[in-house]
Amino acid sequence: MSKSDPNAPKRLALIASKGTLDWAYPPYILASAGAAMGWDVAIFHTFYGLTLLLKEIKAEVTPLGNPAMPMTMPFGPEAFQKIDWPIPTAMMATPGFSSLATGMMKKLFKDKGVASVPEMRAMCVEAGVNMIACQMTMSVFGFEKDDFIPECTVGGAGMFLDYAADADVQLFI
């Protein structure tokens, strides 16, 4: 398959379909890296990934959805922080556990110098990544364009497929 314009910059087409904290990072990390490399990048935010375009991101970690997630402590003595704590699945369903895991993940990322999800999103916007809100998902879940950051565009699957058809890399996250 060849691109419509062989001289065009490389193109990255991402689909962000999940809105949890742990799933918010991959599309924004890849998009910001692609944009920094001079690639043309678009992220199609659909289903639960649409919430990543809200003006205020309230994403949390979902430990039940990620039972293999390592649970290291972002505080305490160094030896304590290196322990990979096995968490029983039943405990992950305990009320408040998602908030605890979210707080720990945010602290761990901050301690490691990783930007927050809102900061990553802002970097993508500043780098010119096309942030697309799925029109059908907006209608299904009752969102309006004003609910989202002003830099996003609204488009349907056909619009995104036209973009992705010429992409060098297409990823569903």
Side-chain angles (χ1 to χ4, degrees), residues 37-135:
M37 295 166 59
W39 292 22
D40 183 24
V41 181
I43 306 174
F44 186 68
H45 296 78
T46 188
F47 282 82
Y48 306 114
L50 188 61
T51 59
L52 298 175
L53 290 175
L54 291 170
K55 291 175 182 167
E56 184 182 348
I57 297 174
K58 297 178 181 174
E60 289 196 351
V61 173
T62 55
L64 268 177
N66 302 298
M69 183 175 75
M71 187 63 86
T72 56
M73 297 298 150
F75 51 82
E78 188 173 330
F80 181 73
Q81 292 183 34
K82 289 184 177 179
I83 297 172
D84 185 8
W85 297 91
I87 306 295
T89 303
M91 187 174 170
M92 294 179 186
T94 305
F97 191 80
S98 285
S99 295
L100 173 69
T102 298
M104 290 172 56
M105 184 177 209
K106 285 181 176 179
K107 177 161 178 36
L108 181 65
F109 276 50
K110 184 178 180 181
D111 290 350
K112 299 291 183 184
V114 178
S116 69
V117 170
E119 291 168 338
M120 294 289 296
R121 181 179 72 183
M123 285 188 272
C124 288
V125 167
E126 187 176 316
V129 172
N130 186 4
M131 310 291 255
I132 305 167
C134 174
Q135 187 173 28

Side-chain angles (χ1 to χ4, degrees), residues 1 3-4 9-15 39-44 128-132 156-170:
M1 186 172 131
K3 295 170 59 168
S4 300
K10 287 191 175 187
R11 182 179 274 193
L12 172 60
L14 297 167
I15 298 173
W39 292 22
D40 183 24
V41 181
I43 306 174
F44 186 68
V129 172
N130 186 4
M131 310 291 255
I132 305 167
M159 176 194 134
F160 181 71
L161 288 174
D162 280 342
Y163 177 87
D166 268 350
D168 300 278
V169 178
Q170 305 103 1

